[in-house]
Amino acid sequence: MRKLVCALAAGVIALGTAFLPGLASAQDKKITVVTWNIGYFDEGFQQWVDEFKKIHPDFEVERIDMKGTEIPTWYQTQVVAGTPPDIVDVQGGLWLQYASQGGLTDLTPLLERDQESYTKDLSPEVLNNWVYQGKNYGVPLYVSKTLLFLNRNMMKAAGITKDPESFDEMMADAEQMTGGEHSGFMTLNFDWLYWPLFAMNDVQFVNEDLTKAAFNTPEAVALVGRLADLTSKGVINKISWTGRWVEPNGAFAAGNVGMLHAHAPAFLWFKSKADWVNDESVGAINLPGGWSTPNSHSLVMSAGSKHPEEAWDFMKIATSGDGAYAMGTGTNNLTGDVTVNARLMEYFKENLPAVVPVLETQFQNLDKLTGNWAFAQDAAIKDAFYPELQAALLGEKSAEEALNAAEAKVNRILARQ
């Protein structure tokens, strides 16, 4: 990822001279849209294209769908070559790498210009997830944040009759459900998805102006030590700290995990793998304290787009009104358009009631979002921090040793931002 940032910096300089609005030839009336692993979303995407061509009949739309793991390297190559796609679907904090190097278009003037026809229908709390140094670089394609999935079967077998209301209760329930092949708790760990466990224990990652690490405190040392101890006992499944997506969700689908802290799309993934999963056997609640990490997808525009106005029109079509409704029904998610979401919830109640409790959590407690810091070097900070934390959680280092090392590494990166 650090190589990507350097390449983007060089590519952006080249793009500044290569692409000047208004100089595109008649033969070049095309925008390219990169989507993130939703190749199945053909009908909805075509609906976007059809609406787009009503206002730009002389333009073509090229679609490229890629796995998320492939997009960064491919995008780097395109930027350096001077042929960046106009629009890219990105997840989590990936966009920060691009925005900090001038690789993305500042959408703030467009959002302000189109306030009445577009922006006013977007959730401000959600839209704020793509703000860097006071400028907005993305618009929400679909909304996703973490919650707590509960294996009601395991809870019942363990004699647990109410949902946990604090971190201590959650861990106590996890211990009560642990034994044999069963573990009580699991979390996803990529893209800061585990950070609500720290936030609910009053551990801050960084100071208010994002210039210095704030996580190395006695409270954090005690928490990491406790998490490591629970992991060694099997209360917290070790896959929490070593898996990414398939492994932890697969473990929950197997029916051997009592609670899973994950973001909303996990539900339909593990439901598709397990016949036992239904709205009675799996509960969906906010994590105690209401904390969550957003992992929404957004559409961003490359700074090198030769057709920024046309690209902006396409982005608006995809993320509002009927286009957003198509996205929600086609991928079983909520969107950033609050008016559309009311329609979507009615659709899900009628057609997919099991997902309703999951989706109801997605617009609750938006004042308790964490893990969405606007770090220019987000990927580098993750690479510096998580291996140290992981070593402590797996018992390879003491909590104090790991946090000391992590603090030094993170502060070095923050000093360079």
Side-chain angles (χ1 to χ4, degrees):
M1 195 61 78
R2 286 188 287 274
K3 292 180 180 178
L4 170 61
V5 171
C6 293
L8 279 171
V12 167
I13 294 172
L15 290 175
T17 57
F19 294 143
L20 296 176
L23 296 185
S25 65
Q27 292 84 2
D28 194 33
K29 289 188 173 182
K30 180 181 76 172
I31 63 169
T32 301
V33 182
V34 178
T35 54
W36 182 297
N37 202 26
I38 52 170
Y40 59 87
F41 186 64
D42 288 329
E43 185 176 343
F45 191 90
Q46 187 59 48
Q47 181 177 326
W48 296 349
V49 173
D50 292 343
E51 287 302 308
F52 175 77
K53 289 183 75 65
K54 288 179 181 178
I55 55 177
H56 299 291
D58 52 343
F59 268 75
E60 297 299 321
V61 178
E62 177 187 23
R63 181 194 184 188
I64 302 173
D65 187 78
M66 305 182 73
K67 293 181 179 179
T69 53
E70 299 171 350
I71 288 177
T73 301
W74 179 86
Y75 188 67
Q76 167 193 341
T77 302
Q78 298 304 307
V79 169
V80 173
T83 57
D86 298 271
I87 301 168
V88 185
D89 167 8
V90 296
Q91 173 183 282
L94 180 62
W95 65 277
L96 284 158
Q97 316 294 332
Y98 311 147
S100 65
Q101 295 294 327
L104 300 182
T105 298
D106 173 16
L107 302 178
T108 310
L110 298 172
L111 288 164
E112 292 174 351
R113 183 191 72 187
D114 297 342
Q115 174 67 32
E116 287 303 312
S117 62
Y118 174 68
T119 313
K120 66 179 176 59
D121 289 327
L122 301 181
S123 163
E125 296 92 344
V126 171
L127 189 60
N128 192 55
N129 281 304
W130 297 283
V131 173
Y132 174 69
Q133 294 186 347
K135 298 177 180 179
N136 190 291
Y137 289 94
V139 290
L141 182 60
Y142 68 81
V143 172
S144 171
K145 70 184 185 73
T146 57
L147 67 150
L148 189 64
F149 295 104
L150 304 170
N151 184 330
R152 298 291 189 194
N153 297 339
M154 283 182 60
M155 291 177 71
K156 183 177 181 180
I160 299 170
T161 57
K162 73 180 192 69
D163 297 342
E165 297 179 358
S166 68
F167 178 81
D168 288 339
E169 284 187 16
M170 187 169 68
M171 291 299 104
D173 288 351
E175 289 193 74
Q176 201 167 330
M177 287 186 280
T178 298
E181 296 183 354
H182 289 178
S183 53
F185 180 84
M186 178 174 285
T187 184
L188 302 190
N189 64 63
F190 60 92
D191 289 345
W192 304 109
L193 293 182
Y194 61 90
W195 194 259
L197 301 178
F198 288 77
M200 65 196 301
N201 282 281
D202 297 321
V203 177
Q204 305 297 321
F205 186 81
V206 70
N207 61 4
E208 288 189 9
D209 60 2
L210 308 185
T211 59
K212 190 174 182 181
F215 57 78
N216 194 6
T217 64
E219 293 78 12
V221 171
L223 174 62
V224 173
R226 184 178 179 186
L227 294 174
D229 181 59
L230 291 169
T231 302
S232 70
K233 294 176 179 177
V235 176
I236 297 176
N237 194 302
K238 286 186 178 180
I239 296 174
S240 296
W241 317 124
T242 60
R244 183 172 171 87
W245 175 257
V246 173
E247 301 89 345
N249 288 327
F252 191 78
N256 297 327
V257 177
M259 293 176 281
L260 171 65
H261 175 232
H263 53 320
F267 178 76
L268 289 177
W269 192 96
F270 62 67
K271 185 178 186 299
S272 70
K273 309 294 182 182
D275 293 338
W276 65 272
V277 175
N278 56 53
D279 54 355
E280 294 184 0
S281 62
V282 174
I285 65 172
N286 289 293
L287 199 68
W291 291 101
S292 65
T293 295
N295 202 253
S296 302
H297 279 240
S298 65
L299 294 183
V300 298
M301 186 193 306
S302 295
S305 172
K306 291 180 283 187
H307 307 290
E309 285 293 340
E310 289 79 7
W312 177 238
D313 284 340
F314 190 92
M315 292 168 73
K316 289 189 294 182
I317 288 169
T319 59
S320 67
D322 290 340
Y325 187 77
M327 183 67 194
T329 56
T331 65
N332 296 318
N333 287 292
L334 294 180
T335 73
D337 187 319
V338 294
T339 303
V340 168
N341 286 343
R343 292 171 57 198
L344 286 171
M345 288 303 290
E346 292 303 314
Y347 168 86
F348 292 126
K349 288 175 183 177
E350 182 177 348
N351 296 282
L352 197 59
V355 80
V356 170
V358 177
L359 296 180
E360 285 178 338
T361 69
Q362 297 301 281
F363 276 80
Q364 297 169 350
N365 301 311
L366 292 181
D367 60 330
K368 293 290 188 71
L369 298 178
T370 186
N372 57 339
W373 310 285
F375 294 132
Q377 298 295 325
D378 181 70
I381 291 172
K382 288 174 187 170
D383 289 345
F385 179 78
Y386 188 71
E388 295 295 341
L389 175 65
Q390 182 188 54
L393 294 171
L394 296 178
E396 299 166 0
K397 285 186 175 183
S398 71
E400 184 175 6
E401 181 184 8
L403 291 181
N404 283 341
E407 180 183 35
K409 291 179 179 179
V410 168
N411 278 337
R412 281 197 295 270
I413 297 170
L414 291 175
R416 299 196 299 265
Q417 290 206 103

